[in-house]
Amino acid sequence: MKARTFRTWLDHLQSKGRLAVINKKVSPDFEIAAVAKKLDGQKAAYFSNVDGYKVPLVSGICSSRQDFADALETDEKGIIPKFSKAVSIPKPCRLIEKEDAPVKENIITENIDILKTFPIPIHHEMDSGHYISAALFITRDPDTRKQNVSIHRLQISGKDKLGVLLLPRHTHHLYKQAEEQGKPLECAIVIGVDPLTLLASQASTPFGVDELEIASALRSEPLETVRCETVDIDVPARAEIVIEGKILPHIREPEGPFGEFPKYYGPRSDKEIVQVTAISHRDNPIFYTIVPAGYEHLLLGGIPREASLLESIRQTVPSVAAVHMSPGGTCRYHAIVSIKKRNEGEAKNAILAAFANSFDIKHVVVADEDVDIFNMEEVEWAIATRFQASKDMVVIHDAQGSKLDPSTDNGLGSKTGFDCTIPLNSEPMRYKRITIPGYDELNLQDYLSDDASESKRESFETDKVLT
């Protein structure tokens, strides 16, 4: 299994020539992010020599759709069906003993200093400091005993203190329940897990679903977990690093700014605080970071959103074939939908269903099946030739959107849908795409000469005819 652990996945990347090893000494302040960004979408970056640290760092382990397909052991078309199936049928994890868990090889409960222990980068010019950007944030519902897994940005706010951005979702709900009782909420921050567990953490699920169980369903075996040292949380047993702690009640401290997925900064404001109680890690741990707004960041959020969006639209338009959250729309704001239209008006229903799925979605394009929605040139062509604003546009004003979209009024803005489907009663030749017979089957190499001799090139210059 290529993606059984973080390390087996790195081995896979190396075997495929997809891992760039950087032995030159690099600074965690901006230089790591700059190098990883240069390699974005091409190779993962493994930094063996981070200035001031013995711990290496890696970034970009899944920065293409093909990477996620490889991890899921399918092709790119199979990503969403396989992920959706796992979300619908979670599988139990397997709790193992601490002595069998590699992440327990080293345990620190005293003299904790996170920034001295791990090479935590500063990514962008105006970031407020060092940020953990690629950690699973695990909490537990004390009533149901079900865990919740998500990813939050984590600012290093002290030797044993982290500032955390909690959006109004499941983790925030659990925290507010605890805070109302004057209690802290226990948490575990997990760094360096396999891509399947990373992807599962971003699943859009009802409250009460344990995303680690989705990770189990994505694998050919149950995910092995182990109980933490100081909090009642189960974590992946083969992770690289676990930071244990508690989100303190009624305490807020300054956090941010931080460069976010829209390629703008999330603002500074007072946020919740995690008090760290313990750290455990493997021997010779590897730190993992995600460069914000890179392909890894966008796809990690986009693929689970596509799965959720497909299921939502299918409730309204059963003939929906595929959906795509495009990188140009930060894999959050733009949705492209492919349908097999059977009735007029279905495209507009699909647009409304997409908006209802997520308040982040700002623009929706609906196209026919013949348009490759993963090819933005094809999508733009459909808008150019099959769309008229007077009859094909849906506009909704003063709707809730993303507060990280700077064009909104604190999240309040307009949403637009584009019906780019062909009218069902159109004349047969009006929208018929041009084709060249035999084009798809043609092998270009059969027509290109391997003989590019100097004499033949010279004949162009001397006006001789090539033979």
Side-chain angles (χ1 to χ4, degrees):
M1 186 179 179
K2 302 169 187 174
R4 185 169 184 265
T5 70
F6 186 71
R7 298 189 183 198
T8 59
W9 181 248
L10 294 183
D11 286 341
H12 166 72
L13 293 177
Q14 190 169 42
S15 71
K16 295 295 183 181
R18 277 271 296 111
L19 184 70
V21 178
I22 293 94
N23 292 319
K24 179 182 178 181
K25 183 179 287 188
V26 294
S27 170
D29 299 356
F30 310 125
E31 190 173 10
I32 282 174
V35 175
K37 184 72 173 178
K38 287 283 187 180
L39 291 165
D40 191 25
Q42 304 170 50
K43 291 186 177 185
Y46 180 90
F47 300 91
S48 64
N49 189 4
V50 181
D51 190 17
Y53 296 91
K54 294 181 180 179
V55 176
L57 177 147
V58 68
S59 184
I61 65 168
C62 276
S63 57
S64 71
R65 297 185 78 91
Q66 187 58 54
D67 286 336
F68 283 105
D70 287 350
L72 289 163
E73 299 185 344
T74 184
D75 57 21
E76 291 188 42
K77 292 182 180 179
I79 292 174
I80 299 304
K82 188 163 186 178
F83 185 80
S84 296
K85 182 179 179 181
V87 171
S88 66
I89 314 175
K91 302 291 185 183
C93 300
R94 180 191 297 131
L95 188 66
I96 66 173
E97 298 297 326
K98 293 181 179 180
E99 56 267 24
D100 297 324
V103 77
K104 296 292 187 179
E105 289 169 343
N106 300 271
I107 298 171
I108 304 168
T109 55
E110 297 180 356
N111 301 317
I112 293 170
D113 192 326
I114 305 168
L115 196 54
K116 281 189 176 180
T117 309
F118 304 116
I120 302 169
I122 301 178
H123 297 95
H124 297 117
E125 178 186 14
M126 301 301 294
D127 285 356
S128 59
H130 300 263
Y131 268 85
I132 298 171
S133 63
L136 306 187
F137 197 95
I138 306 178
T139 55
R140 189 190 293 278
D141 187 329
D143 297 325
T144 66
R145 300 286 300 162
K146 283 288 188 179
Q147 297 193 158
N148 182 74
V149 188
S150 50
I151 295 178
H152 304 277
R153 72 191 203 203
L154 294 158
Q155 173 186 278
I156 307 302
S157 299
K159 290 183 177 180
D160 58 355
K161 193 166 61 172
L162 300 166
V164 56
L165 171 63
L166 297 180
L167 296 175
R169 294 171 186 162
H170 299 167
T171 302
H172 183 262
H173 173 71
L174 290 172
Y175 170 67
K176 294 304 289 184
Q177 281 187 329
E179 187 178 47
E180 287 169 3
Q181 301 174 44
K183 298 178 181 178
L185 180 67
E186 294 183 339
C187 62
I189 295 156
V190 184
I191 301 166
V193 297
D194 63 272
L196 302 182
T197 305
L198 199 64
L199 191 63
S201 75
Q202 299 303 289
S204 298
T205 63
F207 182 69
V209 175
D210 185 345
E211 287 82 358
L212 292 186
E213 294 183 351
I214 296 174
S216 275
L218 288 171
R219 305 158 69 87
S220 57
E221 59 189 16
L223 177 69
E224 291 182 339
T225 60
V226 65
R227 188 64 47 85
C228 284
E229 296 295 311
T230 61
V231 295
D232 182 24
I233 304 286
D234 298 331
V235 297
R238 299 183 183 278
E240 295 294 313
I241 300 161
V242 173
I243 300 172
E244 302 176 17
K246 299 176 181 181
I247 314 175
L248 302 177
H250 308 299
I251 295 178
R252 306 291 188 273
E253 293 184 5
E255 183 272 339
F258 178 70
E260 276 284 5
F261 68 85
K263 303 182 182 179
Y264 297 103
Y265 290 94
R268 185 177 184 84
S269 61
D270 290 340
K271 303 290 193 333
E272 290 79 4
I273 290 294
V274 175
Q275 179 64 56
V276 176
T277 55
I279 295 174
S280 65
H281 63 80
R282 295 183 65 145
D283 289 339
N284 304 310
I286 303 168
F287 192 81
Y288 171 51
T289 192
I290 290 176
V291 177
Y295 286 121
E296 183 170 33
H297 186 189
L298 299 183
L299 288 169
L300 184 60
I303 289 172
R305 281 172 170 80
E306 288 173 356
S308 171
L309 182 61
L310 182 65
E311 293 303 315
S312 291
I313 297 175
R314 187 166 282 154
Q315 299 300 314
T316 302
V317 184
S319 63
V320 61
V323 299
H324 180 209
M325 304 295 291
S326 66
T330 73
C331 290
R332 305 289 200 285
Y333 298 159
H334 288 178
I336 302 100
V337 182
S338 173
I339 67 171
K340 184 176 182 179
K341 189 166 77 171
R342 296 189 176 96
N343 302 287
E344 293 297 349
E346 284 183 330
K348 290 184 174 65
N349 286 348
I351 289 168
L352 297 174
F355 287 146
N357 173 259
S358 170
F359 63 77
D360 279 338
I361 295 176
K362 181 178 180 181
H363 299 139
V364 179
V365 175
V366 181
D368 296 293
E369 282 186 304
D370 67 314
V371 176
D372 180 359
I373 64 172
F374 294 93
N375 181 336
M376 294 312 296
E377 184 176 341
E378 286 252 315
V379 174
E380 188 178 354
W381 171 80
I383 295 172
T385 64
R386 300 182 182 181
F387 170 82
Q388 284 295 318
S390 60
K391 61 184 179 66
D392 297 322
M393 184 161 62
V394 176
V395 181
I396 302 170
H397 296 299
D398 296 327
Q400 182 187 12
S402 169
K403 291 186 177 182
L404 289 174
D405 174 1
S407 70
T408 66
D409 181 8
N410 195 32
L412 196 67
S414 296
K415 298 175 183 286
T416 309
F418 302 80
D419 177 356
C420 301
T421 57
I422 295 172
L424 293 175
N425 62 353
S426 61
E427 298 174 8
M429 285 296 293
R430 187 175 180 88
Y431 288 95
K432 187 172 179 62
R433 296 180 68 158
I434 59 173
T435 59
I436 300 174
Y439 175 82
D440 291 336
E441 296 79 20
L442 185 144
N443 182 358
L444 189 58
Q445 292 304 314
D446 293 342
Y447 296 81
L448 299 178
S449 172
D450 293 330
D451 184 4
S453 66
E454 187 67 33
S455 62
K456 287 190 175 183
R457 290 199 299 274
E458 185 178 318
S459 66
F460 286 110
E461 300 168 1
T462 58
D463 296 327
K464 294 178 181 178
V465 178
L466 284 173
T467 57

